[in-house]
């Protein structure tokens, strides 16, 4: 299977999950959203306009405006993501199915956030987007100097605020915030979770023994560099090592076994790439499917 075919298949799976969540949770339980998706929901609740159609109407002009900025491959994946999202939105609306949650908006918000987040996370993970705000953000960056994060924040806030004015009550608005928060966290996890790791900074007088033990017992490499203590002014070696999340306790125990007085600071790494994470010992990509 070629890389482009694999990416396309997963983008279709992602948009199908996203559409399922939007139709059977957001649309059934009056939950809003940000971005272009939020506008399609707003038009649906106000005028009963089909989100599958409005998604295309809003995105197609943006494609013509921003296609040169996306690049050929990204443009194809974005077009695929947008068209397939509209297709699945239309399909699921034709299927008579209802998720009965006894008007429990908390459950609706949690499931909507999880399902839409997984779907959109898969789309992002395999190089696609669903258009809309992504193109708008790049246009604002080029012509107004706005950061992409700022554009998303302003656009999403405006759409959710309009939804609150026109059809959400305060209770539904609060659960919409829960939905958006859960979806954002799930998207981050899907995008980065497989290769997330922990980074350790270690300072010890037994640095050679620690680095050798990390290499031999854990099969992990490490890098040392020079530092200077601000209190003593003494030169110190600092060891930097990245390990998988499930290896953190093992690393901590190994260091403390060799030097109980070692200083160690452990931080989150959102993504780790290279040997031991995305490459095997022969520098070949690890299979993640």
């Amino acid at each position: 299977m070629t890389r482009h075919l694999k990416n396309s298949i997963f983008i279709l799976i992602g948009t199908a999950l996203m559409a399922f969540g939007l139709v059977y949770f957001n649309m059934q339980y009056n939950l809003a959203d940000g971005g272009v998706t939020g506008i399609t929901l707003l038009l649906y609740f106000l005028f009963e306009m089909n989100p599958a159609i409005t998604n295309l109407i809003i995105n197609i002009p943006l494609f013509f405006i921003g296609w040169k900025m996306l690049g050929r491959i990204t443009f194809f994946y974005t077009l695929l993501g947008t068209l397939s999202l509209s297709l699945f939105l239309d399909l699921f609306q034709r299927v008579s199915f209802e998720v009965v949650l006894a008007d429990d908006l908390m459950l609706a918000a949690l499931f909507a956030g999880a399902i839409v987040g997984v779907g959109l996370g898969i789309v992002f993970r395999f190089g696609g987007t669903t258009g809309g705000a992504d193109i708008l953000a790049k246009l604002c960056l080029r012509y107004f100097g706005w950061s992409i994060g700022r554009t998303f924040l302003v656009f999403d806030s405006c759409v959710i605020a309009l939804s609150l004015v026109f059809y959400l009550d305060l209770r539904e608005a609060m659960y919409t915030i829960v939905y958006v928060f859960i979806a954002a966290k799930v998207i981050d996890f899907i995008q980065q979770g497989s290769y997330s790791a922990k980074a350790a900074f270690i300072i010890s007088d037994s640095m050679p023994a620690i680095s050798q033990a990390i290499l031999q017992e854990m099969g992990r490499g490490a890098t040392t560099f020079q530092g200077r203590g601000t209190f003593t002014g003494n030169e110190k070696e600092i060891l930097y090592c990245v390990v998988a999340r499930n290896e953190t306790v093992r690393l901590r125990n190994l260091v403390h076994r060799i030097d109980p007085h070692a200083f160690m600071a452990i931080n989150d790494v959102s993504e780790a790439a290279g040997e031991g994470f995305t490459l095997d010992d022969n520098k070949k990509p690890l299979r993640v499917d």
Side-chain angles (χ1 to χ4, degrees), residues 106-269:
M106 177 57 80
L107 276 179
L110 292 175
F111 276 101
I115 295 172
V116 173
V118 168
L120 197 50
I122 291 173
V123 172
F124 289 159
R125 176 82 180 261
F126 289 89
T129 74
T130 54
D134 305 273
I135 300 173
L136 186 65
K138 291 180 180 180
L139 290 172
C140 288
L141 176 63
R142 169 170 291 188
Y143 294 109
F144 302 107
W146 290 15
S147 69
I148 290 177
R150 180 184 178 187
T151 303
F152 276 121
L153 178 62
V154 171
F155 190 37
D156 289 354
S157 299
C158 289
V159 173
I160 293 175
L162 286 173
S163 302
L164 178 59
V165 170
F166 287 110
Y167 75 90
L168 291 181
D169 59 30
L170 184 58
R171 179 168 175 261
E172 291 167 344
M174 294 172 69
Y175 282 113
T176 291
I177 294 172
V178 173
Y179 152 74
V180 171
F181 178 80
I182 296 297
K185 291 297 182 182
V186 173
I187 289 169
D188 286 344
F189 177 78
I190 295 298
Q191 282 190 274
Q192 303 172 342
S194 296
Y195 301 136
S196 61
K198 293 282 189 177
F201 289 91
I202 303 166
I203 301 175
S204 169
D205 292 328
S206 304
M207 199 66 76
I210 291 174
S211 59
Q212 191 67 20
I214 291 173
L215 181 62
Q216 291 181 348
E217 297 181 28
M218 299 184 65
R220 293 289 184 188
T223 301
T224 60
F225 51 93
Q226 291 298 121
R228 183 189 297 274
T230 57
F231 181 72
T232 63
N234 295 335
E235 294 285 344
K236 290 281 188 179
E237 266 194 336
I238 302 170
L239 185 143
Y240 178 75
C241 180
V242 177
V243 297
R245 286 180 179 273
N246 59 1
E247 295 177 314
T248 306
V249 174
R250 187 179 175 191
L251 175 66
R252 186 185 300 118
N253 291 339
L254 181 151
V255 172
H256 287 167
R257 185 190 73 213
I258 297 172
D259 182 3
H261 304 291
F263 173 83
M264 181 165 52
I266 299 177
N267 303 311
D268 286 320
V269 174

